[in-house]
Amino acid sequence: MNTLSRGSTALMLIMLALTSTQAADPKAQVANRIIEQRCLVCHGCYDAPCQLKMEAHEGLRRGATKAKVYEASRLREAPLTRLFDDAQTEQAWREMGFYPVLDDEQPGRGLVKRMLDLKREHPLPTQGPMPEGFDFALDRKEQCPKPEEFSRYKKRYPLWGMPYGLPGLNEDEHQAMIDWIMAGASAVPLAQADAELAAQVDNWERFLNGGSHKERLMARYIYEHLFIGSLYLLDAQGEPAWYRLVRSASPPGEPLELIATRRPFDAPGVDRVHYRLQAMQTTPLRKIHMPYRFDAARMSRYEELFISPDYAVDELPDYSTSNPFSVFHAIPERSRYRFMLDEAQFTVMNYIKGPVCRGRVALNVIEDRFWVMFVDPDGGTPHDDKLFLAEEAVNLALPEARRGTVIDLVDWRRYSKAQERYQVAKWEHIERIMNERGDEFGYDVLWDGDGSNDNAALTIFRHFDTASVVKGFVGDIPKTAWVIDYPMLERIHYLLVAGFDVYGSLSHQLESRLYMDFLRMEGELNFLMFMPAEKRREMHDFWYRDARESVKTHLFDLNVVIEREPAIVYESEDPKREFLETVSDMLPGARAHRYRYRERVSDDIAQAFARLEAAQGEHNSFLPQVNYINIIGRDRDQVFTLLRNSGYSNIAQLFKEEKRRLPDEDRLTVVSGFIGAYPNRFFQINEQDITAFADDLLAMESLQDYAALVERFGVQRNSPFFWRISDKLHAVLKAQEPVAWGILDLNRYEGYLQPQP
């Protein structure tokens, strides 16, 4: 089974069957469940240690390598090592530097078995601190022993059996895995599509492979926006069956011939591209799982947006440029924007869960929590002026790292100047529209979700080196907010999703991050235009404290309408709060009821959490970013997420982040259910102790105080009940989000904290 081009980032993970309804070796079925619960929590996607991706049996067969995918210092782009894409046989993977972790001739000598046995022989202590030597840092130096190196590894790191830095498998689990390995480590067969699914797949492939230029351009646009999505159809029993959209050299009805290129818009090397649905038997990983439903209503919507409008596609664009404003100029801008807005959370999630969103350098371009709104697609702004966007297509071009060398940075000034020219043209165009129509920035400029679409209001959280995007406005009024229009939304996608190469050079990744600075500032300035004119610079300067003066004045100096008053009469001295509270009542789903805990908890819990959220200050800074709290009550068991939102003087600089930290401005957000894919800490608290938990947290003055909090209420890595809590949280998550759930990643779970005696 093959996988997609460069961005298959997100999708590689959810490939192939770790679970199946077909008859299979019972040993394989049991082993796959154990792999899912104990191995996939670390070994999945591009950041799987040693690139040992255990989401599919093919990953086990491929094995491991000492090469890293995430390597910030490389000066040239790296060779591609995408599972299912870049080699098709075990021998081909061996030639690319991968070595086996299973041994067919002597199963007892395989690395997986030996790593499990090592943990069995040297278990972690179940009380007190973990032994020294464990490194849980994101960019830790990995030890990836080859089979012939295992004896030395065992001698040097006797406590580093698998699972690494976590409790070992229990006796039954361990024996089940050993029995499976010794019996040949067979795979679970793939489930076959029923007649209902097969008919749906055929229908979609016919739709996406029409013969007219109009249909073919539509299909290319859809593909370049959905290629890392987790597409699903419903089978005859109403259960989701997972697919991904791929390019194929073969047409529907024939065996799929995958076209695997570095990026989804790279030249395919064939005269005619066919768009196909490739089945994925899934155990989804939360960090990359992005559900997107394919059904009859979706197909009708595509016809409404792309086929029914009266426009002509005289000729199909080639692959000489990736600039979407040039490639897709024939498609009405409103249709493109509506396509992205219909599932705006998914659109933004591609950036959040795609390969760019890993590591602090990639993510320190955004605040820890902010709200997002969108410009009305029918509002008469530049995005719906075809002539304007055609004229500005060159200025809207995004950085492309074609050569993959440091020399690419020489081009940076060209992109910067083009972006400035676009900003000048944009605001001049807006001024002309406003003067002609007598319009100003008012509530009607915002997309209202057409009255029912809950994608109109989003919250983005940054968790230091990961991030999340959820529907609705979550938490109290944030420090900043964005208003996104079509050109900005499209550029974010092509900068950080379609055009981002996780195997790319340092220069490519820096260019992407630096250009995102422009887009962040543009979104913030769009929001500021709804504020009173005399408040705009004051608010902006507060967001950019200690930043260079050129940063503070850059976009203001390019905006010819910066002094223009909005069409909103404010009644309070806090226009930001007044505006966002008004918008929260306007936009469908903005109140984010699914995350609100007050309506579904006891008074003691509500009061404790409210105290935590109200108390800004340095005491919060000792907590990690993502904490899951399991509260056990007399009659129910509940799960909450406690998020730390870090304060910064500004986020306009690439480095020296710690110097810009303002712990006194750290805030907490508490939600019902789950936000985040990389939990840093589990807490398990009896309901009668929730007030004491809040008291202790609010009183923290040092890391030692936090260590004492963890000792009393937290779950340590070496706790004998660690896996029981992990399994419980996964079960609750799956029950709450049956389609969007996924295996959590424990690579960022904190190490042991030792309080002072």
Side-chain angles (χ1 to χ4, degrees), residues 569-687:
V569 177
Y570 288 99
E571 299 178 357
S572 71
E573 293 301 312
D574 190 349
K576 180 179 72 170
R577 177 173 290 275
E578 185 177 340
F579 175 82
L580 291 175
E581 288 182 345
T582 300
V583 171
S584 295
D585 291 329
M586 290 172 43
L587 304 184
R591 289 295 181 183
H593 292 292
R594 64 170 291 187
Y595 294 111
R596 296 171 68 88
Y597 59 82
R598 291 173 178 83
E599 295 85 353
R600 49 176 65 100
V601 299
S602 66
D603 289 343
D604 286 346
I605 295 175
Q607 291 171 11
F609 285 164
R611 289 168 59 206
L612 296 180
E613 290 192 285
Q616 173 179 306
E618 187 175 6
H619 63 280
N620 296 319
S621 68
F622 303 111
L623 284 168
Q625 301 288 143
V626 181
N627 307 270
Y628 292 153
I629 300 177
N630 175 210
I631 296 183
I632 302 173
R634 291 191 183 91
D635 57 352
R636 56 182 170 175
D637 207 318
Q638 295 175 286
V639 177
F640 307 87
T641 303
L642 175 65
L643 300 165
R644 192 192 88 210
N645 309 309
S646 302
Y648 296 91
S649 60
N650 74 79
I651 51 169
Q653 300 174 47
L654 183 59
F655 302 111
K656 300 182 179 179
E657 183 173 358
E658 286 304 313
K659 290 189 176 181
R660 293 178 279 116
R661 276 283 284 119
L662 299 174
D664 286 343
E665 296 184 8
D666 284 10
R667 301 289 300 268
L668 300 181
T669 300
V670 183
V671 302
S672 178
F674 297 83
I675 291 180
Y678 296 85
N680 304 123
R681 175 66 61 186
F682 301 152
F683 290 95
Q684 190 168 54
I685 307 169
N686 290 320
E687 185 171 350

Side-chain angles (χ1 to χ4, degrees), residues 3-12 46 69-70 80-82 85-86 223-224 227-228 244 247 258-266 290 350-351 353-357 493-504 508:
T3 189
L4 179 63
S5 73
R6 162 261 131 218
S8 52
T9 312
L11 290 182
M12 292 182 169
Y46 285 131
V69 174
Y70 289 101
L80 301 175
T81 58
R82 297 165 301 180
D85 280 4
D86 301 313
Y223 165 73
E224 291 188 13
F227 71 101
I228 64 171
R244 63 191 183 110
R247 296 195 297 182
L258 184 79
I259 298 172
T261 55
R262 188 173 282 267
R263 299 171 181 85
F265 48 70
D266 287 343
M290 294 178 282
N350 274 252
Y351 154 46
K353 291 193 174 185
V356 67
C357 237
H493 178 79
Y494 276 87
L495 178 74
L496 300 178
V497 184
F500 185 82
D501 181 10
V502 70
Y503 294 90
H508 162 63

Side-chain angles (χ1 to χ4, degrees), residues 205 209 246-259 270 272-276:
E205 291 192 341
N209 290 282
V246 300
R247 296 195 297 182
S248 172
S250 58
E254 297 182 9
L256 191 149
E257 297 179 26
L258 184 79
I259 298 172
V270 297
R272 172 71 193 266
V273 170
H274 301 279
Y275 298 97
R276 307 284 300 275

Side-chain angles (χ1 to χ4, degrees), residues 342-535:
D342 280 354
E343 301 289 347
Q345 183 201 24
F346 171 87
T347 301
V348 177
M349 194 184 295
N350 274 252
Y351 154 46
I352 295 298
K353 291 193 174 185
V356 67
C357 237
R358 194 272 198 187
R360 52 191 300 193
V361 173
L363 280 167
N364 68 3
V365 71
I366 58 175
E367 295 281 358
D368 268 30
R369 182 177 65 90
F370 58 98
W371 292 355
V372 173
M373 297 147 279
F374 301 91
V375 171
D376 184 1
D378 301 314
T381 48
H383 76 262
D384 63 0
D385 187 320
K386 186 171 184 177
L387 179 61
F388 173 78
L389 287 184
E391 292 174 343
E392 290 300 313
V394 173
N395 289 330
L396 290 169
L398 296 162
E400 295 181 18
R402 293 294 186 185
R403 297 182 300 277
T405 68
V406 174
I407 300 174
D408 288 335
L409 289 175
V410 174
D411 294 334
W412 176 247
R413 184 172 177 80
R414 176 167 58 88
Y415 291 114
S416 176
K417 289 299 181 182
Q419 199 273 344
E420 290 179 5
R421 290 193 296 271
Y422 167 70
Q423 289 298 318
V424 171
K426 167 186 170 178
W427 293 112
E428 288 178 346
H429 189 83
I430 288 175
E431 182 181 42
R432 285 195 298 273
I433 292 174
M434 288 181 167
N435 289 339
E436 291 171 1
R437 303 180 184 179
D439 292 341
E440 303 295 346
F441 281 90
Y443 294 113
D444 60 340
V445 174
L446 298 177
W447 179 50
D448 66 356
D450 304 316
S452 60
N453 191 328
D454 60 2
N455 283 276
L458 305 177
T459 299
I460 294 178
F461 290 92
R462 176 199 172 197
H463 318 304
F464 186 63
D465 52 26
T466 65
S468 302
V469 55
V470 298
K471 291 181 180 179
F473 292 155
V474 180
D476 195 10
I477 302 299
K479 178 181 174 182
T480 65
W482 293 11
V483 174
I484 296 178
D485 58 18
Y486 165 65
M488 183 179 169
L489 193 60
E490 195 77 273
R491 280 179 291 159
I492 290 176
H493 178 79
Y494 276 87
L495 178 74
L496 300 178
V497 184
F500 185 82
D501 181 10
V502 70
Y503 294 90
S505 66
L506 171 64
S507 66
H508 162 63
Q509 299 188 23
L510 286 178
E511 284 176 348
S512 299
R513 193 274 182 214
L514 291 170
Y515 196 95
M516 188 60 200
D517 267 329
F518 296 147
L519 298 180
R520 182 199 66 248
M521 289 189 284
E522 183 177 349
E524 291 172 343
L525 184 57
N526 288 346
F527 168 72
L528 286 175
M529 296 309 296
F530 294 88
M531 298 293 100
E534 72 276 6
K535 292 282 189 179

Side-chain angles (χ1 to χ4, degrees), residues 103-135:
D103 191 321
D104 292 332
E105 296 182 0
Q106 300 183 63
R109 299 289 296 171
L111 280 174
V112 173
K113 180 183 183 301
R114 294 164 82 182
M115 285 290 188
L116 293 174
D117 286 342
L118 182 60
K119 173 69 77 171
R120 197 75 174 161
E121 295 166 11
H122 300 279
L124 294 177
T126 58
Q127 294 182 346
M130 289 180 64
E132 296 182 359
F134 285 99
D135 184 359

Side-chain angles (χ1 to χ4, degrees), residues 673-717:
F674 297 83
I675 291 180
Y678 296 85
N680 304 123
R681 175 66 61 186
F682 301 152
F683 290 95
Q684 190 168 54
I685 307 169
N686 290 320
E687 185 171 350
Q688 63 265 27
D689 294 328
I690 189 62
T691 300
F693 172 79
D695 289 343
D696 288 356
L697 197 160
L698 291 167
M700 290 192 305
E701 296 181 349
S702 67
L703 281 174
Q704 284 300 319
D705 292 338
Y706 170 58
L709 182 81
V710 171
E711 185 74 9
R712 184 176 181 186
F713 301 107
V715 179
Q716 300 280 19
R717 269 183 168 267

